[in-house]
Amino acid sequence: NDNCLANLEKLDVIGLGNSGTVYKVRHKKNGEIYALKVLRFRENKEGLQQQALREAEFLRRVVDSRFVVMCHGVFENGGFEESDGSSSGDVCFLLEYMERGSLHDLLRKRQKLPEDYVSIIARSVLQGLQYLHGMQIVHRDIKPSNLLINSKGEVKIADFGVSKVANNNSNKEYLNNSYMGTCAYMSPERIDPEKWDGNSCYGYEGDVWSIGVVVMECCMGRFPLISEDEKPDWVTLMCSICFEEKKLEMPETDASIELRNFVGRCLVRDWRERATVEELLSHPFLIKFQNHSLPSFFTCVSNYS
Ligand code: ATP
Ligand code: MG
């Protein structure tokens, strides 16, 4: 296999996640640039290994969507060498390189994004979810740092670290995995499975909730569920997501009716009443900008400088 680790030259670190390091690498034979995500087991063996194998399983299943970051190879026990020469117990994913980094990086730089950009981003993410959900994959970690942008201005979903196959498993199984990662973008029924009320909940609705939070964040230029002068406190945040009566919505200023309605349809606390991916794909907020694409200057900002 030409895609073996020995053929990859490490160029830069482009991402540090909870579970590992992402490098920019060059293929020595064909000169192509890729991202290599390296997960290490040394620190937290059991949990991380399980997570890595799960991620590998999902990456292998995802093969042809323009809206999901492609994987060109998975290396178990890869041993991608570290600067100190050690190399044990890694799993590596060779990924399509997304030059402009994540939506998180972009928001940090530009703060607020105009509605037409946000509409384009939302459409790509929804198309990515339509693909994943069609394969019975629930992503479960839709947030700005997992949405990547390339130099063509395409937006794609990445990071299957906490994804799962949709099924109506018992709450117990669901709970085991649900607190990995941040809860900031999590839906009420993921934080509190009591909300299923004896109904089977496959989890697709949770991804829709997360899109609502991301869209709001893009338009407001900050994480929207905590007010600006409040100190972030997870317990308070989780309580307000799950139990508050007040509807979560965009502030009236500076937001079109279509945008406010879109966000409102995502952030419905009762998962049974929430919009589906299909409904949102034909929502006026997407239709309004359907002929737009991300402008060229948007894609000319280098992120890793
Ligand atoms: P976290 O636990 O923080 O979500 P993670 O360890 O699961 O992170 P990823 O989310 O896959 O790792 O990647 C971490 C960061 O690395 C991303 O936010 C992004 O900035 C960068 N990154 C990941 N994959 C790519 C890629 N294919 N192209 C360019 N940058 C990438
Ligand atoms: Mg991530």
Side-chain angles (χ1 to χ4, degrees):
N1 184 355
D2 253 9
N3 276 348
C4 74
L5 288 175
N7 283 331
L8 301 175
E9 178 190 356
K10 202 193 278 182
L11 300 178
D12 264 317
V13 173
I14 51 177
L16 289 172
N18 286 321
S19 44
T21 309
V22 182
Y23 298 92
K24 177 178 176 179
V25 297
R26 183 192 292 120
H27 197 291
K28 289 175 190 163
K29 297 220 166 123
N30 63 20
E32 291 270 352
I33 302 292
Y34 297 95
L36 187 76
K37 178 168 173 175
V38 180
L39 300 179
R40 294 197 179 80
F41 302 141
R42 254 156 296 169
E43 303 88 43
N44 164 7
K45 294 189 187 77
E46 298 268 307
L48 269 188
Q49 183 146 10
Q50 209 185 24
Q51 179 180 339
L53 297 178
R54 176 195 298 258
E55 185 163 2
E57 180 198 319
F58 286 111
L59 281 169
R60 287 200 183 94
R61 286 174 64 178
V62 169
V63 285
D64 61 349
S65 169
R66 282 160 49 220
F67 306 102
V68 179
V69 171
M70 282 296 112
C71 179
H72 297 283
V74 178
F75 313 102
E76 283 171 35
N77 269 324
F80 192 62
E81 216 176 86
E82 303 219 42
S83 46
D84 65 2
S86 63
S87 63
S88 57
D90 300 341
V91 169
C92 305
F93 306 116
L94 189 63
L95 303 168
E96 162 184 19
Y97 178 48
M98 302 294 285
E99 299 87 338
R100 303 306 166 203
S102 73
L103 183 60
H104 175 81
D105 301 324
L106 186 81
L107 287 172
R108 240 185 355 207
K109 234 184 238 135
R110 303 179 60 103
Q111 289 157 12
K112 287 183 197 183
L113 299 179
E115 286 193 21
D116 55 341
Y117 297 9
V118 180
S119 169
I120 296 158
I121 292 166
R123 188 172 61 216
S124 303
V125 179
L126 284 164
Q127 285 173 290
L129 285 181
Q130 188 180 41
Y131 173 81
L132 294 177
H133 292 178
M135 312 213 342
Q136 263 118 45
I137 297 173
V138 188
H139 186 276
R140 305 210 300 169
D141 202 14
I142 297 293
K143 60 180 178 183
S145 65
N146 290 339
L147 302 174
L148 306 183
I149 304 165
N150 68 16
S151 56
K152 291 186 221 155
E154 293 170 332
V155 181
K156 307 191 184 195
I157 299 175
D159 195 351
F160 292 84
V162 295
S163 301
K164 82 189 267 285
V165 177
N167 56 16
N168 48 359
N169 275 339
S170 69
N171 289 7
K172 192 159 165 284
E173 193 278 334
Y174 207 67
L175 267 179
N176 280 342
N177 306 307
S178 56
Y179 290 96
M180 294 159 96
T182 172
C183 62
Y185 298 85
M186 268 185 205
S187 60
E189 74 278 8
R190 268 205 72 201
I191 295 173
D192 176 19
E194 295 275 302
K195 296 210 177 307
W196 299 359
D197 254 350
N199 291 288
S200 53
C201 175
Y202 289 82
Y204 299 122
E205 303 84 359
D207 286 342
V208 169
W209 171 279
S210 306
I211 290 192
V213 183
V214 170
V215 162
M216 216 166 150
E217 178 165 349
C218 290
C219 296
M220 292 170 66
R222 62 176 179 83
F223 181 72
L225 305 185
I226 300 173
S227 70
E228 253 166 318
D229 32 70
E230 242 177 294
K231 252 206 170 152
D233 157 22
W234 294 119
V235 177
T236 315
L237 176 62
M238 280 165 70
C239 288
S240 89
I241 290 172
C242 289
F243 305 116
E244 227 167 73
E245 293 283 300
K246 211 176 109 234
K247 219 174 156 336
L248 287 165
E249 50 190 1
M250 283 288 294
E252 254 170 73
T253 45
D254 321 319
S256 67
I257 291 179
E258 293 90 343
L259 169 61
R260 287 168 49 80
N261 183 275
F262 182 96
V263 168
R265 291 293 301 127
C266 297
L267 298 185
V268 175
R269 284 197 178 81
D270 184 345
W271 54 277
R272 284 156 295 207
E273 305 290 319
R274 203 173 296 149
T276 61
V277 167
E278 273 63 35
E279 174 189 328
L280 293 172
L281 276 168
S282 54
H283 191 279
F285 178 57
L286 297 203
I287 304 297
K288 192 174 174 183
F289 302 110
Q290 64 186 345
N291 300 320
H292 292 222
S293 51
L294 295 178
S296 61
F297 66 83
F298 183 86
T299 63
C300 288
V301 198
S302 171
N303 266 289
Y304 303 113
S305 46

